Amino acid sequence: MVPSNGDTAGPSSSQDDPAATMKKRNRPQYHPFTQQQLPACKPILAPQTVVEVVYQYETSCIPGYMLDNEVAYIQNPSIDKTCTRILKVPKDMKHPIYIYYQLDKFYQNHRRYVKSRNDKQLINPKEANNTQYCKPEATEHGSPVVPCGLVAWSLFNDTYSFARGNKELRVHKRGISWRSEREHIFGKQVFPRNFQKGALIGGGTLDPGIPLSEQEDLIVWMRTAALPTFRKLYGRIQVDLRAGELITVTMQNNYNTYSFGGKKALVLSTAGVLGGKNSFLGRGYVIVGLACLLLALLLTMLCLVFPLKEEHLALQYPLPRPAR
Amino acid sequence: MKRFVYINDDSCRYSYCDNRISNTKYTLWNFLPKNLWEQFRRFMNQYFLLIACLQLWSRITPVSPATTWGPLIIIFIVSASKEAWDDYNRYLSDKKANERKIWLVKNGIHRQIKAQEIHVGDVVWLHENDEIPCDLVLIGTSDPQGICYVETAALDGETDLKTRIIPPISANLSVEQLGKVKGVVECPNPDNDIRRFDANMRLFLPIIDNEKCPLTINNTLLQSCYLRYTEWACGVAVYTGNETKSGMSRGAAEPKLTAADAIIDKLTIAIFMFQIVVVLVLGYFGNAWKYTEGLKQWYLMYPVEGEAPWYDFSIIPLRFELLCSIMIPISIKVTLDLAKGVYAKFIDWDEQMFDWETNTPAHSANTAISEDLGQVEYILSDKTGTLTENKMILKRCCISDTSYGNDNGDQLNDVRLVNAISSNDPDVIKFLLVMALCNTVVPIKSNDDTVSYKAQSQDEEALVNAAANLNMMLISKDSSTAEICFNGSKFRYELLDILEFTSDRKRMSVVVKEGQTGKILLLSKGADEALLPRACPGQQIQRYLEAAEMYSQLGLRTLCLGWRDLKESEYKEWSKNFQEASCSLDNREFKIAEVCHSLERDLHILGVTAIEDRLQDGVPETIKLLRNAGINVWMLTGDKQNTAIQIGLLCNLITSEPNSQLLSISGKTEEDILRSLERALLIMKNTSETKDLAFVLDGWALEIILKHSKESFTRLAMLSKTGICCRMTPLQKAQLVAILKSAGYLTLAIGDGGNDVRMIQEANIGVGISGREGLQAARAADYSIGKFKFLKRLILIHGRYSYNRTAFISQYSFYKSLLICFIQIMFAFLSGLSGTSLFNSISLMAYNVFYTSLPVMTIIFDKDISETTVMQYPQILLHSQAGRLLNPATFCGWFGRSLYHALVVFFITISAYSDEKSEMQELSMVALSGCIWLQAFVVTMDTNSFTYPQILLIWGNFVAFYMINLILSAIPSLQLYTIMFRLCSQPSYWISMALTVAVGMGPVVAFRYFKNLYQPSAINILKQIEQSNGSIQTSGNLESARAKLTNLLTGSRKIRDSNYHPLLSDSAESAR
């Protein structure tokens, strides 16, 4: 008995065949409830695992002869900074697999840094000249920089590409920012101007032909991190990876974390209900639970060793009104 | 400097101000600058203004200046509106006084004008019972002797009438001449001395006497006094408006600061110091980080060395100063003022403090000091009218050798007395005659021919009423004659002289001439010790002494009555002397006393009257309760010692011999008094606590003691729980209050009459009984109640709850400010010590003025133990009295709690929101939510009783927090855009909140539970008793619980500044 959507086809087409009519009349009506076809979610009561691969590359991607002069290496634009490494997938990773870059000792929350932007300029093309708060990255030869400020100027510019065997793994760079940011914070009509044209080049450059609302790397970067160690989304891989597979990563190691001794890492991670791999909450709950248990035991012990004295118990009972 | 006042001369009238009284502090024009200036005199406001100004410098401000300016402006507007409203009310009452109609005489024509239009030099015509509109020099009265009576109670608090006489120079002016008189008064410039007026007056032609005539204070009528028993009087205005004696002495009343306020101020300063230290440390490390680490951070683009301005080093400390400025809660004053306003309203609304008899509700005129009520240590109470009803009734009397009267009935209705009257016993008749005539009572005939009496002294009224009830009725009286109706027949008496009552003479007499026989009689009445020694030799006075002694043992007020026939010649001679003395310029009072003295001798003592002043309803119970609550009660009275002691016994102030000892401080000479003081002090020191010791002293002794041995008396005052001070003048009452205050005790003065005003104003808390002696005391007081018995409710219920609530609100305000500030400081260590604010401006502002100030206000509905329990165990007042709920130690508890909570919130937030979730706005919102969750639970934990407004406000505010932030998250231009939506849909957010609450509150709950179980404070015990009320009772349990309670509460009389208890362990044991 294959359930068919005969409801619509039924009566009209088989008017003159009584047997057929009879047959169809007997047929039970289809309903998801009667047919036990209700939509269901199927929780699996097994720990949800988040698989994470962290690869720290700030030292390993520097050629040996430059190791004692890292800053000079990174500041020299003529050196090719491509760096290829092979990563082994430790466990099965279901897509989507998120690619993050992680920076350490990078104070995106520094007061000087966090203020150095102009949100009006980012959304409104008419406000291009508004470079308030942006100093010292406000203007270039008298004309305003768009997007201005230190935050944009220091845009992260390492790039990654992945390959499994010979086949390239496509990195999806679209949709790594929030839609609300693309629509209401970064303008569709605002195009980069004079960006990284100064004497000092900070970080990455922007394609002047693409509006800010589509420069998702910039959007992600400009959502400042609260802690000096942070991860930011680079892209997604939309295929599953199996345990043991070897992934070839090709990195452009452009970003200067060497002058302040910061670390850089590439992170591949799946995501669970609570986000990425973070055991803090779990541990926290276990510890609190244990503490409660200990406290309960302690109080029980105390009650056994030092039983409540008569006078404490006495207080459970009332006193008559004192004579007035 | 002198001022010359030309009488009735228009040419000089505009050289001095007019009679417009102004008590207002501000005018329309100077309100804003003056009010701002006043407000900025407060340290806290200066601090916030400095912070607000620093915030305008965008280089250093971590958050938008609106976070300080907004609340600051709101606070200023609130305080300014309150001031403006008060001032407007003052303006209205001034206006009423200024527009009062006054009669003026000019060139013989009487005109009615507004009081404010009087100018210096005008002649003002006053009628009986008029309030005197400005300072006048008396030039004429209706009295042929040139005397008029004034009541000066509003000026000096003395209720007896004062006589004022016209200067001799104008003594012979006729009424017509008074209207046209011209002259000049030479007087000093205005001052505030109400006892001195050294001036002289000269009248111009056509008055013959062209000499200078000296004037004294006795020739003046001062503003705000009342003219009494004088048909009319007229005088020349010499000081007007605010330049009058009363105007000059009207200082702005110092605002009273409660003990709790003083502690809060101290804590504020301590926090300020702490803040400075934090700022310096952070500033130092901030600069250090900048030069070691910061310059390496290329993306920060620090300017190259040399380009930085010279003040560069101060930028980071200043930033931290701004960041930490929220440590001192800007909202604390507004929150407390609001809460105090509600406490005051609770007092006004209290149905149980409404006096049905006189239809008066309790009222708190001063809304700012309710929590002091809960910390009262000394109550100084007036006797007459406060403890007693001030309704005098003649209860007993002793005539010749017979004592009449018994305990029953209000009136003197002894059959024997009635019989004696009907049988015309001459002594009894004379006795009644003295009762009816020897007084200053004024009979008032109403329309239906019944007579009622108006008297300055309640005793006289009682005597006249009693005489009337015994058929000796005073029907009418004017200045020269009195008419008596006895058994239906009328008798006329000519009133020749009145020898007035003074507190020195303690007696008064009248000289009358019998209308029919022409016999001249002296009728006297007075205190027994003043009259009996003046009895004629040979009369047996022993009997009366005993009677007087017996009556005062019963708590009755006694008066002796005396009588003497005067010979015509003797009277004439005396009368001349008396006239002379009355007119003498210097030492008049003494001379009059001398003359009176010479007449009042060889008296035939008629008998003794005993007047009962009934105790007010509920006084003994109230005093007992207050004493149980650990409050020392003193009685200050103008009455004499015996009566005072008897009243003291009746109202539980002192107990009889075996349990207590009364130490009398008295003596004939100064040395005697000082010796008896030392002896009393010695006994006090060496007696165990269980025995009640009280001291008794009178006004004279006090005067000497204050002159010679103030320190010993202060020590005595601190040791003795009870004191009875009799024969006190208003000033001495105030001095006693001042002594206790200067020893650091919190005093409450309660009284009903004008003579208590000074004491009421001097005390920390003044309570007035809106009683029979008028409303003066009630008007000057901070609180007014209808009956003394309401005092227990005022102190034990309102005072105690107010203190508890203020203690919580103030410390909580610091807690929540410190909480958020600590988080900012911790975040500083993760943001390169650069002074970044974790929270955005909107959140910071809303946190202080909205999210956290509403739930805490719910504490004004909180009651830790019920009213009945407090009344049953008044000892519990000790907790608030000793300041156990608000002191540096409890504050340390709150400080520690906020530090712990800040650590919890901060570490859970940064650990749960690390790595890819570590985004500034999200993290800030998570931390803020953590604070909101914790503070909601903290308020809940510290609430003892949940009423619906509390539940509604605490959790409604919680819901409101989410609503507001969700709404803010929908506005794209805000930094908060979409953040709250994102967070609310993340399970990890909610899980973090739950963890924050569990870790933050868990230890607090566990600790409290443990404490309640093993080391309960008295309040905990009472709570438990309250909970289990109504079940089984066993005497054994009762005993042990009682013992425990007593243990906790007694024996720990406050040792100043030493026994502060840590938070959560407010039992007395830990301190001992």
Side-chain angles (χ1 to χ4, degrees), chain B residues 135-153:
Chain B
D135 289 356
L136 304 170
V137 167
L138 191 64
I139 54 169
T141 78
S142 58
D143 188 277
Q145 291 174 7
I147 290 176
C148 72
Y149 298 98
V150 285
E151 188 188 296
T152 57

Side-chain angles (χ1 to χ4, degrees), chain A residues 107 109-112 136-137 178 184 223-226 256 259 274 276 278 285 295 302 315-316 318-320, chain B residues 58 61 298-302 830-831 834 836 873 911 916-920 977 982 991 994 1010 1028 1032 1038:
Chain A
Y107 290 88
N109 57 10
H110 195 279
R111 189 180 175 284
R112 217 181 138 75
E137 268 309 307
W178 297 91
H184 297 288
R223 196 196 307 138
T224 48
N256 178 8
S259 42
L274 300 183
N278 186 343
Y285 271 84
L295 206 66
L302 269 174
L315 292 167
Q316 308 292 325
L319 297 176
Chain B
S58 66
T61 178
W298 55 269
Y299 53 91
L300 297 179
M301 263 202 184
Y302 265 117
L830 292 185
S831 59
S834 58
T836 318
Y873 300 95
S911 309
E916 80 280 1
K917 284 190 201 141
S918 112
E919 185 198 318
M920 194 77 178
Y977 182 52
R982 248 186 262 170
I991 294 173
F1010 187 75
S1028 52
I1032 343 144
L1038 169 81

Side-chain angles (χ1 to χ4, degrees), chain B residues 63 837-845 921 924-925 975-976:
Chain B
V63 285
S837 169
L838 178 60
F839 303 101
N840 59 47
S841 308
I842 297 174
S843 303
L844 272 184
M845 189 162 64
Q921 295 303 327
S924 123
M925 231 31 227
Q975 291 171 310
L976 217 57

Side-chain angles (χ1 to χ4, degrees), chain A residues 100 105-107 109-115 136-137 150 153-154 178 180 184-185 200 202-203 223-231 255-256 259-260 273-278 280-281 284-285 288 295 299 302-303 306 308 310-312 314-322 324, chain B residues 58-62 289 296-303 319 827 830-832 834-836 871-873 908 910-920 923 972 977-978 982 987-988 991-992 994-995 999 1006 1010 1013-1014 1016 1021 1024-1025 1028-1029 1031-1032 1037-1038 1040-1042:
Chain A
Y100 299 101
K105 273 185 151 181
F106 192 100
Y107 290 88
N109 57 10
H110 195 279
R111 189 180 175 284
R112 217 181 138 75
Y113 187 84
V114 86
K115 293 234 156 193
E137 268 309 307
L150 288 175
W153 175 73
S154 61
W178 297 91
S180 59
H184 297 288
I185 293 179
L200 269 174
R223 196 196 307 138
T224 48
L227 304 173
T229 301
F230 58 87
R231 288 175 188 177
Y255 201 69
N256 178 8
S259 42
F260 53 87
V273 182
L274 300 183
K277 191 175 177 109
N278 186 343
F280 170 76
L281 284 174
Y285 271 84
V288 170
L295 206 66
L299 281 177
L302 269 174
C303 281
F306 308 103
L308 287 176
E310 179 83 354
E311 58 192 2
H312 293 121
L315 292 167
Q316 308 292 325
Y317 299 104
L319 297 176
R321 279 165 187 262
R324 298 194 121 196
Chain B
S58 66
R59 204 181 146 93
I60 59 168
T61 178
W289 188 91
K296 290 192 214 151
Q297 312 278 350
W298 55 269
Y299 53 91
L300 297 179
M301 263 202 184
Y302 265 117
R319 255 181 223 160
F827 181 69
L830 292 185
S831 59
S834 58
T836 318
M871 286 299 185
Q872 276 173 29
Y873 300 95
I908 290 183
I910 62 163
S911 309
Y913 277 72
S914 59
D915 295 339
E916 80 280 1
K917 284 190 201 141
S918 112
E919 185 198 318
M920 194 77 178
L923 197 95
Y977 182 52
T978 70
R982 248 186 262 170
S988 53
I991 294 173
S992 311
L995 187 67
V999 178
F1010 187 75
L1013 207 58
Y1014 284 95
I1021 294 177
Q1024 290 180 23
I1025 290 172
S1028 52
N1029 238 355
S1031 33
I1032 343 144
N1037 289 330
L1038 169 81
S1040 56
R1042 265 269 174 76

Side-chain angles (χ1 to χ4, degrees), chain B residues 182-242:
Chain B
K182 298 258 176 186
V184 60
V185 179
E186 189 185 340
C187 57
N189 273 343
D191 57 27
N192 61 2
D193 190 347
I194 57 169
R195 315 239 170 252
R196 246 178 114 84
F197 181 71
D198 298 322
N200 54 53
M201 177 160 77
R202 199 150 50 93
L203 294 184
F204 299 150
L205 291 172
I207 290 100
I208 321 102
D209 199 348
N210 203 12
E211 278 179 23
K212 270 189 184 176
C213 166
L215 300 176
T216 67
I217 198 78
N218 281 331
N219 306 118
T220 57
L221 299 174
L222 298 184
Q223 190 187 40
S224 74
C225 298
Y226 285 86
L227 187 68
R228 299 280 191 219
Y229 303 108
T230 310
E231 204 179 306
W232 58 263
C234 75
V236 182
V238 285
Y239 303 129
T240 49
N242 282 357

Side-chain angles (χ1 to χ4, degrees), chain B residues 84 129 155 297 786 968:
Chain B
N129 295 335
L155 205 59
Q297 312 278 350
L968 291 180

Side-chain angles (χ1 to χ4, degrees), chain B residues 18-21 97-100 114-119:
Chain B
D18 64 7
N19 194 36
R20 191 186 298 270
I21 304 164
N98 284 335
E99 294 187 349
R100 198 167 36 146
K114 289 179 182 168
Q116 63 184 8
E117 290 162 4
I118 299 173
H119 281 84

